[in-house]
Amino acid sequence: MLSFYSNSLSYIFSNRNIIALLFQVAACTNIWLKEIIPEWHSTHNTRKAHSLWWKGLPPKVRGTVWKLAVGNELQLTKNLYYIMVERAKDTLKCCKEKDSNKLQHLSQEAHDNVKSIQLDVLRTFPHLCIFQESGPYHENLLNVLGAYASYRPDVGYVQGMSFLTAVLLLNTEPPDAFILLSNLLHQPCQRAFFRMDANMMFVYFDVFNLFFEESLPPLFNYFNANRLTPDLYLIGWVFTLYSKSLPLDVACRVWDVYFRDGDSFLFAVALGILRMHMSQLLQMEFEIILQFLRKLPDDLDSDLLFDNIRSIGLSPRKFQHTMIELIDMNNSERKRKQGTAATIGGGPSPIAVSSPPVT
């Protein structure tokens, strides 16, 4: 009998917590819909908006806020999306028919894009069973990825884009997902990684290492002793914006603040993850660390993660200032080496690394 009452009380309190949470989400949604979104330009940078943002956007407004936060610098239209979808379908048709006359007009890159997209779509969030063949989002995912590859043949399809696009499709309609994806991949950090710009990627790694050493010296030294360099785990995190490594609900909360704060937040999240799990990581060996970081625990507490991110204290301004300092220092070093090479008979021209825009 005592066990029955105990279980009943647990059920009641559990339901009360769920109801309280639902009321809280409804209240936040109401503030976003009635106060912040209608007056976006004057309200989105207020302390109230930032406080709500940090706690995670309500699902009902997430797509709308993402579109407003990212903007459309590229000035893309929904009509362009439909044109690119048709172009992608024509490319797919040529590949399927194996018509030699049509195939000879296709670049090898376009042919490779088609094969890679079809393969990766099947591997995108397989546990959800919605992006695979016969799933409700399968065609939309193929269309958006194909449209982007057609729109940017110079970039094409890069592994990881399927996860980005899938998350966007869970929160927006396909044309909006295409516009968001295109503008997202135009951001400095994503542009550097998806174009495999080695110079800029190493600048990001070096900046990360500076803050890693400053914030978590015991773990920094342990990683160095085990030759565990940032590229081994950061590339996967940045390529997918944590959507493959973190539980999906936590990843969406990361995306919320990333769209508010920009590139710096990606590296603040990385440091927050390492800080949160530091005691465990210090007991692990090289291979186990990599496995752990590539797929973090499914029960990861988002509030605890965000507490650790806040404790790191990496602001966008601090991050950008360090980026610019490091880029200037690298360029000065290249010029010095060029001058030295010139005095002994000439040498290659330095590769200038441009500073990212300060936001």
Side-chain angles (χ1 to χ4, degrees):
M1 183 66 72
L2 184 62
S3 173
F4 170 77
Y5 283 119
S6 175
N7 290 337
S8 297
L9 286 171
S10 297
Y11 178 77
I12 291 168
F13 283 120
S14 175
N15 276 346
R16 281 182 179 175
N17 289 337
I18 292 170
I19 292 168
L21 180 61
L22 290 174
F23 272 111
Q24 186 180 355
V25 170
C28 288
T29 302
N30 199 45
I31 293 171
W32 280 103
L33 287 174
K34 292 188 175 180
E35 297 180 27
I36 300 173
I37 292 173
E39 303 294 334
W40 179 258
H41 293 295
S42 60
T43 59
H44 76 281
N45 268 329
T46 61
R47 183 175 297 180
K48 184 177 185 178
H50 276 224
S51 176
L52 288 171
W53 218 324
W54 182 262
K55 296 172 184 176
L57 296 170
K60 190 174 181 179
V61 302
R62 177 166 274 146
T64 301
V65 174
W66 283 4
K67 287 186 286 183
L68 288 167
V70 175
N72 188 7
E73 183 186 348
L74 299 174
Q75 298 185 332
L76 305 181
T77 63
K78 292 182 179 182
N79 188 48
L80 175 67
Y81 165 70
Y82 292 118
I83 292 170
M84 291 299 111
V85 167
E86 290 306 312
R87 188 174 295 178
K89 286 181 177 179
D90 287 343
T91 302
L92 177 60
K93 186 178 179 182
C94 288
C95 292
K96 281 184 175 178
E97 291 177 352
K98 298 182 179 178
D99 186 321
S100 58
N101 291 326
K102 293 180 180 178
L103 283 173
Q104 67 181 355
H105 297 293
L106 281 182
S107 66
Q108 184 61 45
E109 289 79 7
H111 192 268
D112 290 344
N113 285 336
V114 168
K115 291 197 297 183
S116 297
I117 288 171
Q118 289 181 314
L119 182 63
D120 276 2
V121 162
L122 300 176
R123 300 186 293 200
T124 304
F125 297 124
H127 61 289
L128 296 180
C129 302
I130 58 176
F131 296 106
Q132 289 63 43
E133 283 188 273
S134 76
Y137 287 83
H138 178 70
E139 187 174 356
N140 286 342
L141 184 53
L142 282 175
N143 285 346
V144 176
L145 291 172
Y148 181 79
S150 297
Y151 165 62
R152 292 302 305 267
D154 57 318
V155 178
Y157 175 78
V158 180
Q159 198 170 34
M161 286 183 183
S162 64
F163 282 88
L164 296 181
T165 307
V167 175
L168 293 173
L169 284 170
L170 290 174
N171 293 279
T172 62
E173 293 300 314
D176 293 321
F178 166 74
I179 293 170
L180 269 169
L181 178 69
S182 301
N183 281 279
L184 176 60
L185 297 181
H186 190 63
Q187 301 303 310
C189 183
Q190 296 298 314
R191 192 164 63 237
F193 276 72
F194 276 93
R195 293 184 181 182
M196 298 304 290
D197 181 342
N199 286 328
M200 278 306 300
M201 287 174 72
F202 278 106
V203 171
Y204 280 108
F205 294 148
D206 288 344
V207 171
F208 172 78
N209 258 339
L210 289 172
F211 290 116
F212 188 7
E213 183 177 18
E214 176 187 295
S215 306
L216 309 168
L219 190 59
F220 174 81
N221 292 332
Y222 185 72
F223 273 28
N224 273 354
N226 285 276
R227 297 182 180 179
L228 212 157
T229 52
D231 56 295
L232 295 175
Y233 51 94
L234 274 183
I235 287 178
W237 286 350
V238 172
F239 264 114
T240 63
L241 297 182
Y242 297 94
S243 59
K244 194 175 179 180
S245 302
L246 286 172
L248 189 54
D249 60 325
V250 183
C252 284
R253 186 174 170 185
V254 166
W255 284 43
D256 293 341
V257 184
Y258 165 61
F259 288 147
R260 186 194 77 179
D261 289 357
D263 294 341
S264 64
F265 191 68
L266 296 179
F267 299 92
V269 172
L271 293 170
I273 289 170
L274 296 177
R275 186 180 190 273
M276 181 177 180
H277 299 287
M278 182 161 65
S279 59
Q280 297 164 260
L281 293 168
L282 287 169
Q283 304 301 317
M284 295 179 183
E285 296 180 355
F286 181 92
E287 290 294 339
I288 305 300
I289 291 174
L290 283 183
Q291 290 174 19
F292 180 82
L293 295 180
R294 284 170 182 164
K295 189 67 181 79
L296 293 154
D298 289 332
D299 60 351
L300 187 143
D301 186 325
S302 66
D303 289 331
L304 184 56
L305 171 60
F306 272 68
D307 286 344
N308 278 278
I309 295 169
R310 193 189 294 276
S311 296
I312 293 294
L314 179 55
S315 68
R317 186 177 295 274
K318 186 177 181 182
F319 182 85
Q320 292 286 6
H321 179 73
T322 306
M323 279 282 294
I324 291 169
E325 274 193 341
L326 191 59
I327 288 169
D328 290 343
M329 188 167 63
N330 287 350
N331 283 336
S332 296
E333 179 65 14
R334 288 191 182 93
K335 287 178 182 177
R336 186 190 66 78
K337 288 181 177 179
Q338 182 194 27
T340 303
T343 61
I344 58 173
S349 301
I351 302 172
V353 181
S354 58
S355 300
V358 179
T359 56

